[in-house]
Amino acid sequence: MNHFLWGQVPPQIDWGPENLARPNTLAILPKDNGVFFTFHYGNGSLMPSAKISRFENGKEIISKRIEPRIDQKMVTLEDMFLFSNRLFGLFSDKVGASVTLYMQEYDDDVDPFGPPLVVASYVIPKGWSRNVLVTTKVSPENNFLVVDYLIPAKKETYDRFGYNILNKQMVSVREGEYEIPYDSKLSAVEARHLTDKGDYFLGVSVFSKAYYSLWKDFGQVDKSVLIHMSPQDSMRMYELDLEQRKVYNFVITSNDSTAILTGTWGDEDSRGAKGVFYSTFSLQSNQMESPKFLEFPLEVLEQENPRSDDIYSYQNINNELLNYAFRNVILLPDGSLSVLAEQYYIYEVNTTDSRGMNQVTNYYNYNDCIVYSISNKGELNWFRKIPKKQESVNDFGQFSSLISYTSKGNLVIFFNDHVQNYDQIGAYLGTRIPFSNSLRYKEYCLAKTSVNLENGETQRNLFSPYDAIGAFVCLKLSTVNYKTHQVIFAASNKKDKYGFLSFE
């Protein structure tokens, strides 16, 4: 057993009781009254059933199966989500060449509340056997919800989509269709954002050849495109690639007057990102400013260790960083922007044994974080790197990645780590010993990093050892509720448990 000479300083995580293990839990859905739901699938039958459980103070109160039935017809559950503090299910009904999408509201007892609402109807090609592709997005203040769906066309090379934007009263304020004018095998929608005014943005990556891998090869990115659909029903496209540079990953956020884009970029021949960019889009004039391109600070690149990863042995090639996914974007009152991104990649290894049997092993890697701040004039205020290494095999990275929130002018980040990266009083030692899914409980800890959003000053410490939790925390499943100023942590071992951390 590890013995530490420090104690947690308030606030601490208030862990609830142990509950029945639900290994197939997909999401925590918190309401504003302290109640939260979990969306999970049962594992006791050949056809797993979708279920919703309601929790109070971390204890499961009720669990009910979501019946895949609308108006006595069998339908398919596509998703469960909260909108305007209300629980909804999204269902699809495919009959012949017709598809209908429904939304059904549920009360706190997980019973259907009111009649189902038809949100879309469209026709698919004869013989089309693939699943319905539909997604939802909620605006930052829950003013609007968009339901976005693929309308397949068997012979056309371009993807066509439909969308329906609804307000809090579940009244459609705008619906229509749009086409992405690039070959569907060479393009992918990578970012969606719905503003509180009803503007709908899409970020599209276009590749030089067919792109199927989970690992994004920056060398295949041909261009990135921003699509804007305004409340006036106009649609415009903007290419983000300028001055022999290519935009890679990017993310979109907004306030009442402006949408802000930021992300990573590289040169024409780059296979990794050389820096970050910043651009603004006026929601009044529907005009986008030319992006400003900022290079990574040299001192950050020099922190990279090319031999730090055993199989995928490089993170820094020719002063380029590889494959960062955006985790949080904070738009501050002065118009400046703070961004958190995490290095993420998957690789697979194919092996054949003496009997000729083939086996595929997937390795999931969630590594260093970068945090940067850009002023309202597009200048780089500061740039910080948070070293970490999380690796796992064939588990989709269940206990990897992170959760973050803002409090008192700080970006607070939690992630699972190896206890040997900290000394006996919980201070960070500067090492990068990996956390893995084969870790023993004596080697496990929950780590906390706080980044001052004004100057980038960083503090990192061991927050909780295994003994203080009695389980491993699943950060991917954990969630932040800014309405109640709480983080809901999910943890599991042989049982599930949930903890609450209050913040200001």
Side-chain angles (χ1 to χ4, degrees), residues 411-453:
L411 173 65
V412 182
I413 309 165
F414 283 92
F415 53 87
N416 291 327
D417 208 354
H418 198 296
V419 73
Q420 291 182 17
N421 290 320
Y422 305 86
D423 65 17
Q424 288 296 303
I425 62 172
Y428 179 55
L429 296 172
T431 54
R432 195 167 173 263
I433 301 172
F435 164 86
S436 74
N437 63 346
S438 61
L439 202 65
R440 295 180 299 172
Y441 71 88
K442 292 181 180 180
E443 300 171 322
Y444 165 80
C445 72
L446 179 66
K448 174 186 175 183
T449 297
S450 181
V451 183
N452 186 293
L453 294 177

Side-chain angles (χ1 to χ4, degrees), residues 31-46:
K31 298 192 69 174
D32 296 348
N33 57 2
V35 170
F36 70 88
F37 302 99
T38 61
F39 174 32
H40 57 92
Y41 278 85
N43 54 359
S45 64
L46 295 177

Side-chain angles (χ1 to χ4, degrees), residues 359-501:
Q359 180 178 351
V360 178
T361 304
N362 290 306
Y363 294 84
Y364 296 85
N365 295 264
Y366 294 77
N367 293 341
D368 300 342
C369 299
I370 56 174
V371 187
Y372 61 90
S373 172
I374 296 179
S375 73
N376 57 10
K377 300 191 181 298
E379 300 167 343
L380 186 65
N381 290 328
W382 49 261
F383 188 104
R384 297 291 182 269
K385 197 153 179 293
I386 301 170
K388 74 175 180 71
K389 184 172 177 61
Q390 298 168 318
E391 54 189 13
S392 61
V393 179
N394 291 341
D395 72 338
F396 300 97
Q398 180 183 5
F399 294 103
S400 296
S401 199
L402 54 85
I403 192 171
S404 67
Y405 62 92
T406 56
S407 175
K408 295 183 177 180
N410 294 290
L411 173 65
V412 182
I413 309 165
F414 283 92
F415 53 87
N416 291 327
D417 208 354
H418 198 296
V419 73
Q420 291 182 17
N421 290 320
Y422 305 86
D423 65 17
Q424 288 296 303
I425 62 172
Y428 179 55
L429 296 172
T431 54
R432 195 167 173 263
I433 301 172
F435 164 86
S436 74
N437 63 346
S438 61
L439 202 65
R440 295 180 299 172
Y441 71 88
K442 292 181 180 180
E443 300 171 322
Y444 165 80
C445 72
L446 179 66
K448 174 186 175 183
T449 297
S450 181
V451 183
N452 186 293
L453 294 177
E454 183 177 355
N455 55 29
E457 180 181 340
T458 302
Q459 294 183 339
R460 176 172 173 177
N461 63 279
L462 189 157
F463 188 79
S464 292
Y466 181 91
D467 293 344
I469 306 171
F472 296 95
V473 178
C474 181
L475 283 311
K476 285 184 175 181
L477 188 56
S478 304
T479 188
V480 179
N481 188 342
Y482 280 103
K483 295 290 186 181
T484 60
H485 297 279
Q486 277 189 332
V487 184
I488 303 177
F489 288 93
S492 66
N493 194 350
K494 295 180 181 179
K495 298 282 189 178
D496 289 348
K497 63 193 308 185
Y498 298 92
F500 303 86
L501 179 67

Side-chain angles (χ1 to χ4, degrees), residues 66-85:
I66 300 299
E67 296 292 341
R69 190 179 297 276
I70 296 288
D71 294 335
Q72 306 305 313
K73 296 181 297 184
M74 294 298 295
V75 294
T76 300
L77 175 64
E78 301 292 345
D79 195 14
M80 298 290 301
F81 59 92
L82 287 179
F83 172 54
S84 189
N85 206 38

Side-chain angles (χ1 to χ4, degrees), residues 146-362:
V146 62
V147 179
D148 190 303
Y149 51 94
L150 172 68
I151 304 174
K154 212 168 189 180
K155 296 182 180 180
E156 297 176 9
T157 58
Y158 299 158
D159 277 341
R160 189 162 189 81
F161 293 84
Y163 69 95
N164 192 351
I165 298 177
L166 302 102
N167 61 18
K168 291 182 177 181
Q169 291 73 40
M170 302 308 296
V171 174
S172 176
V173 297
R174 192 166 82 254
E175 59 182 317
E177 297 180 3
Y178 63 92
E179 187 176 77
I180 296 178
Y182 301 99
D183 191 323
S184 60
K185 295 180 181 179
L186 302 176
S187 60
V189 178
E190 299 203 1
R192 286 182 168 88
H193 180 74
L194 180 64
T195 75
D196 284 317
K197 299 290 186 181
D199 293 80
Y200 187 34
F201 290 92
L202 302 173
V204 179
S205 289
V206 183
F207 301 90
S208 57
K209 64 180 182 179
Y211 170 66
Y212 299 107
S213 174
L214 292 173
W215 164 256
K216 186 173 184 178
D217 185 350
F218 288 136
Q220 295 182 17
V221 177
D222 184 47
K223 66 178 71 175
S224 295
V225 178
L226 178 72
I227 299 176
H228 172 233
M229 288 169 275
S230 72
Q232 293 75 36
D233 267 346
S234 66
M235 174 177 164
R236 295 183 66 180
M237 291 189 299
Y238 306 82
E239 288 193 11
L240 303 182
D241 310 332
L242 298 173
E243 302 175 9
Q244 306 303 309
R245 298 183 179 97
K246 298 188 295 186
V247 168
Y248 297 145
N249 297 333
F250 65 101
V251 67
I252 309 164
T253 188
S254 64
N255 56 23
D256 287 343
S257 61
T258 307
I260 297 96
L261 292 77
T262 186
T264 55
W265 63 272
D267 294 332
E268 287 292 319
D269 298 324
S270 294
R271 297 185 68 83
K274 299 191 71 171
V276 297
F277 81 93
Y278 170 91
S279 182
T280 59
F281 185 99
S282 171
L283 299 178
Q284 276 78 36
S285 63
N286 289 345
Q287 296 294 321
M288 187 177 74
E289 289 187 356
S290 297
K292 297 178 181 179
F293 297 91
L294 311 167
E295 292 194 4
F296 289 129
L298 184 60
E299 62 270 19
V300 173
L301 294 171
E302 290 174 345
Q303 296 173 11
E304 295 286 347
N305 179 5
R307 293 180 296 275
S308 61
D309 291 322
D310 296 331
I311 299 179
Y312 202 92
S313 61
Y314 54 91
Q315 296 185 71
N316 174 10
I317 300 178
N318 299 324
N319 289 339
E320 299 170 356
L321 299 180
L322 298 183
N323 214 58
Y324 275 80
F326 293 93
R327 303 305 189 198
N328 203 346
V329 181
I330 304 103
L331 185 58
L332 299 176
D334 64 358
S336 64
L337 192 72
S338 295
V339 180
L340 167 65
E342 179 183 34
Q343 189 184 63
Y344 161 67
Y345 59 86
I346 304 170
Y347 62 87
E348 65 179 37
V349 176
N350 290 274
T351 56
T352 304
D353 62 21
S354 59
R355 299 170 297 171
M357 301 294 291
N358 186 59
Q359 180 178 351
V360 178
T361 304
N362 290 306

